[in-house]
Amino acid sequence: MFSASQSSKAQFLDKARQAREERRELKERERAAIQIQALIRRFLCRCRLQREIRREVEDFFGTNESSSSKRSALSIFRIARKLLFVFNHKEDKERFEKLCRCILNSMDVENEPKVWYVSLALSKDLTLLWIKQIKDLLWFCCEFLKQLKPDILQDSRLVNLHLTMLVTFTDTSTWKILRGKGETLRPAMNHICANIMGHLNQKGFYSVLQILLTNGLARSRPSLSKGSLTAIFSLALRPVVAAQFSDNLLRSFLIHIMSVPAIMTHLATLTPERLAVIESHDLFRKFILFLSREAQCRDVCVCLEGSHTLCLLGNLVYLGSLNDKVLEEETAHFVGVLIHMLSYCQKYVSQKKSNLTHWHPVLGWFSQTVDYGLNESMPLLTKQLQHLWGVHMIRILFSDVLSKKLLENQEIAQLPTQPVSPQNSLPMKNLFKRAFQKSASVRNILKPVGGKRVDSAEVQKVCSICVLYQTTLATLTQIRLQILTGLTYLDDLLPKLWAFICELGPQGGLKLFLECLNNDTEESKRLLAMLMLFCDCSRHLITILDDIEVYEEQISFKLEELVTISSFLNSFVFKMIWDGIVENARGETLELFHSVHGWLMVLYERDCRRRFAPEDHWLRKDLKPSVLFQELDKDKKRAQLLLQYIPHVIPHKNRVLLFRNMVAKEKEKLGLVETSSASPHVTHITIRRSRMLEDGYEQLRQLSQNAMKGVIRVKFVNDLGVDEAGIDQDGVFKEFLEEIIKKVFDPALNLFKTTSGDERLYPSPTSYIHENYLQLFEFVGKMLGKAVYEGIVVDVPFASFFLSQLLGHHHSVFYSSVDELPSLDSEFYKNLTSIKRYDGDISDLGLTLSYDEDVMGQLVCHELVPGGKTIPVTNENKISYIHLMAHFRMHTQIKSQTAALISGFRSIIKPEWIRMFSAPELQRLISGDNAEIDLEDLKKHTVYYGGFHGSHRVIIWLWDILANDFSPEERAMFLKFVTSCSRPPLLGFAYLKPPFSIRCVEVSDDQDTGDTLGSVLRGFFTIRKKEPGGRLPTSSTCFNLLKLPNYSKKSILREKLRYAISMNTGFELS
């Protein structure tokens, strides 16, 4: 009973709760419905109101549109207030345009104060409301300007409309209300304008102008009209002028306006009057002084980031080029600002380097957002930057250096006579005449003299300018060559800079700069930057000058100065290496080393090609080769660096000794040397004399690299198929090698051709007619490498340009094909350089970027660039044409042949072994010394057989004939007759393998069976079987052996020997 009543109570309470919940939900629904209805009613009401207002606005502009200019200012104010109340950017775009036109029309009415919209500013009740309204209207104009595209015709009209609104109401100059009696109101009105301008600035007025300028100008062709650009720039200047050039507004102007790509160039083109306004306000000076404070400059750069900092830089440089007076007065500040901005760009690029990079046409590769407008503007930006290294600005910045007088003696120039080899014979017609025109007086040769304090204002100024250009070169990596060309354009800048360097410090030159290397002060860095700039520019200049300009016309530097400069550079680089500075060098010091070393090597290679320096000029007398070799054995870093960078400071013979030691060490390492415990592996090959080249190629090309370097024994098979008698103790292999080399380098085979004139060898462009021609070239490279490896000199005179390629010089960034061209074809070189000097319009000659060649009776056209046969040669591209032509003739045509030969050569000779030789020195390594034959040295290292001895009368006669009766040419022929090479070994006859031998013979070669006891005794006691007067001396070149009959008279010996060597037949004729 009790439980039943309890259950009904719970049910009752539950029902009561549910009823409450339902009542609450019902109330909630009713309240929500009321709220929704209120919102809907409000929305509908608002829509209705908006429709009514918009209809009212349309009615206002629609009725009597022709007399719209007569509407009262108050009515315009009221309708504007209504429009602004319901304003929506998308819906009210056209209404807003009509309102703007209506307001502007009202301002143009004559003598109707009540019509002028601006008259409301004088109403006590409406002034504040009017100011608020005009602020809103103008900001909406700004909002529209951000979205408009000036390249679209319709948009360009709207741009003009909104700009006119902004121009009209931010300055009182066009307000008719202020004319006459109203002039007293001008200060108050100016104050209102300043208030409006301040409001716009707070809202982001400069950002709007920047967007508009970028949309209209950052493109290949600007889409802003003259009027629009004038208006935008006037608007941009107004706040700055009104604020009396306050730092805050100068900062905004620089960040938003001056960073628009090439804006100054566009102003100069479209509206030059604006540049006059900039000048009248002395804005360029104000910009420079503002940015000269480091914190402010850094702040501007950080806001702009890399690419736009570069745009600001370009605009400042362009302004500087138009303001000589300011540039001269503010040089220090201008240079400081540019250094800071360029350094920022450099740092920015290095920080932004990543895997995901984009290419920038000026700064190079770094991570950046792709800004197509910026990319479109790059050509114009580059043109602006070019003013920095243009002649005009260089003359202003380097005025202290260029004002120096170098001319001393008023005499006619006497050109130093230079030895002219056939390959260096250059067009001499009118040469002296041109040289006299260039310089009517001779200046003193510039040498380090010292005497100028390095802390003087003049030196500091020049150092700063050098730092600027050095920073420019390091930052604007993609146009580095343009910059260097600009800096070298003035012929007198570099010699005068050298004269300036010569005057620095107490003694001048080397000592001061070596001290700077050890001082980590700012002053030292600036002095080293001057040296670095001088080296970079001079190296570039000498690289682009041809031989006539360097040796005959002596542009910029006299030859004696090049000698002085190269001596300075040689010492500087040597000290940097030997004093251990390069070992630990990083950053700027390493860059300086590469800069100085690069200039030094350009001069050295030029001197190797055609001498201007005295004998032994490049050697270091204070460097003992024995000390260097000891350090190399101990793997001392400085010795290795010396050999890597400046091997020319070591005498040539010592380097050859070093080369031979390197080869000997490798042979020992590979087990190719006979020892008491082991014999080297020997490769035996059989060669048919009738098919020497084919057999040699087939058998040797299969050998491994180490087998090629090892001992190779040759057995010859004669024409009858019978093995020739004799054991090869290197002699037969020498003969085989010489014969192979003689065959492959014979121009008749067409693997190699000879140059016109001095007949030097290089790969034939038409050698591809041979089957497997590339494998043949690789084989030739191996044979040549083997000859050099074994120290066998072979008489193969290579063209200089080909030796440079063998050394790998053509991969150098400073290598110039044109410089090497005379070594291929001096006549062709003359013709090309005449194009360079052609004064008229080169296009009249009808040349194209192609080369026509007669290949085996057919005319073949080679395009120097894709589509070259349709591209005419003009005055603009003629230098490129000359370089392309030279490169084609010496590289492109024989690229695969050269690569194959070098591959074979380097499989035997390591590149680092021959890197210490110049091209002429490599030729001497291959073909022996071109010096006079040292008969005393030959006599000292001669071995006698068959009864001959040093005191034998025939031997005494022989040496006397060679010394006194033979000419140097005949002595060379004698050496060729005996050893197959007309030149002595580089290190003397002690290194001739096998040694030179003379043997007494009684019978002809085919009857000769070698020495017997009887023949030796007869030879020794000069007993003859019969008079050998009818027989000729013979030789075995494979053994360097002279077979000499025991002649009875000296005259017979002289006659027979002269005849034998002139026939050059060796063992074939006796």
Side-chain angles (χ1 to χ4, degrees), residues 724-736:
E724 292 184 7
I727 302 165
D728 182 2
Q729 290 299 327
D730 295 333
V732 180
F733 178 72
K734 178 175 179 280
E735 183 194 348
F736 162 72

Side-chain angles (χ1 to χ4, degrees), residues 95-145:
R95 296 180 189 93
F96 186 76
E97 289 163 23
K98 287 176 182 176
L99 175 62
C100 291
R101 286 200 175 87
C102 184
I103 290 171
L104 291 172
N105 287 340
S106 77
M107 294 293 288
D108 289 336
V109 176
E110 294 290 337
N111 303 319
E112 294 277 355
K114 289 187 178 180
V115 174
W116 297 329
Y117 176 68
V118 78
S119 64
L120 298 175
L122 303 175
S123 164
K124 284 182 183 178
D125 299 333
L126 298 174
T127 303
L128 291 175
L129 290 172
W130 180 86
I131 291 172
K132 184 182 183 310
Q133 186 180 88
I134 196 66
K135 282 180 181 178
D136 290 342
L137 286 170
L138 294 181
W139 183 245
F140 284 136
C141 286
C142 291
E143 293 276 338
F144 279 118
L145 283 172

Side-chain angles (χ1 to χ4, degrees), residues 400-401 452-466 500 503-505 512 523 526-527 530:
D400 291 349
V401 173
K452 188 170 280 186
R453 288 179 63 87
V454 293
D455 56 356
S456 67
E458 181 194 6
V459 174
Q460 291 301 310
K461 179 185 172 185
V462 175
C463 283
S464 292
I465 293 159
C466 290
F500 192 83
E503 292 174 4
L504 295 176
L512 170 72
E523 189 181 83
R526 289 151 74 87
L527 282 165
M530 182 195 295

Side-chain angles (χ1 to χ4, degrees), residues 734-747:
K734 178 175 179 280
E735 183 194 348
F736 162 72
L737 195 62
E738 287 166 351
E739 287 297 316
I740 283 277
I741 283 173
K742 193 189 294 182
K743 284 181 189 295
V744 294
F745 287 107
D746 183 354

Side-chain angles (χ1 to χ4, degrees), residues 206 209-210 213-214 233 236-237 240 249-265 267 275 278 283-284 287-288 291 300 304 307-320 341 381 384:
Y206 275 119
L209 296 183
Q210 183 183 15
L213 283 168
T214 307
F233 205 76
L237 268 180
V240 181
L249 281 160
L250 277 175
R251 176 184 180 275
S252 293
F253 193 88
L254 284 165
I255 289 171
H256 296 291
I257 307 302
M258 289 297 290
S259 68
V260 173
I263 185 170
M264 291 297 125
T265 304
L267 284 178
L275 289 179
I278 289 174
L283 265 180
F284 175 59
F287 291 152
I288 294 303
L291 291 168
V300 168
L304 289 174
S307 297
H308 287 92
T309 300
L310 197 66
C311 295
L312 171 59
L313 185 80
N315 286 316
L316 289 175
V317 167
Y318 186 76
L319 266 186
M341 292 173 78
L381 172 59
Q384 282 189 324

Side-chain angles (χ1 to χ4, degrees), residues 666 670 672 700-701 703-710 777-786 789 806 899-911 913-914:
E666 190 187 75
L670 296 174
L672 304 176
L700 291 179
R701 76 186 182 97
L703 292 183
S704 67
Q705 192 172 311
N706 287 354
M708 273 299 291
K709 290 179 179 181
F777 271 103
E778 191 175 354
F779 171 69
V780 172
K782 286 180 180 178
M783 290 292 97
L784 191 63
K786 179 69 173 171
Y789 195 76
L806 207 54
L901 188 142
I902 290 173
S903 169
F905 185 77
R906 287 183 179 173
S907 68
I908 310 293
I909 303 292
K910 291 181 181 176
W913 289 352
I914 56 167

Side-chain angles (χ1 to χ4, degrees), residues 132-227:
K132 184 182 183 310
Q133 186 180 88
I134 196 66
K135 282 180 181 178
D136 290 342
L137 286 170
L138 294 181
W139 183 245
F140 284 136
C141 286
C142 291
E143 293 276 338
F144 279 118
L145 283 172
K146 275 201 284 190
Q147 296 163 9
L148 294 170
K149 303 285 182 223
D151 52 327
I152 301 169
L153 182 62
Q154 185 63 34
D155 279 14
S156 70
R157 288 177 184 154
L158 295 177
V159 166
N160 288 337
L161 173 68
H162 297 311
L163 284 176
T164 310
M165 277 290 287
L166 287 162
V167 169
T168 305
F169 293 104
T170 53
D171 185 71
T172 59
S173 57
T174 59
W175 294 2
K176 294 184 173 66
I177 199 168
L178 299 181
R179 290 177 189 170
K181 292 178 182 177
E183 191 64 44
T184 53
L185 301 170
R186 193 174 292 278
M189 291 302 191
N190 283 340
H191 187 70
I192 289 173
C193 280
N195 186 300
I196 294 167
M197 205 74 245
H199 170 77
L200 292 175
N201 277 339
Q202 281 181 338
K203 298 271 279 184
F205 182 56
Y206 275 119
S207 297
V208 172
L209 296 183
Q210 183 183 15
I211 291 166
L212 184 60
L213 283 168
T214 307
N215 286 340
L217 300 179
R219 48 197 302 115
S220 49
R221 289 181 62 189
S223 56
L224 283 176
S225 65
K226 176 181 177 176

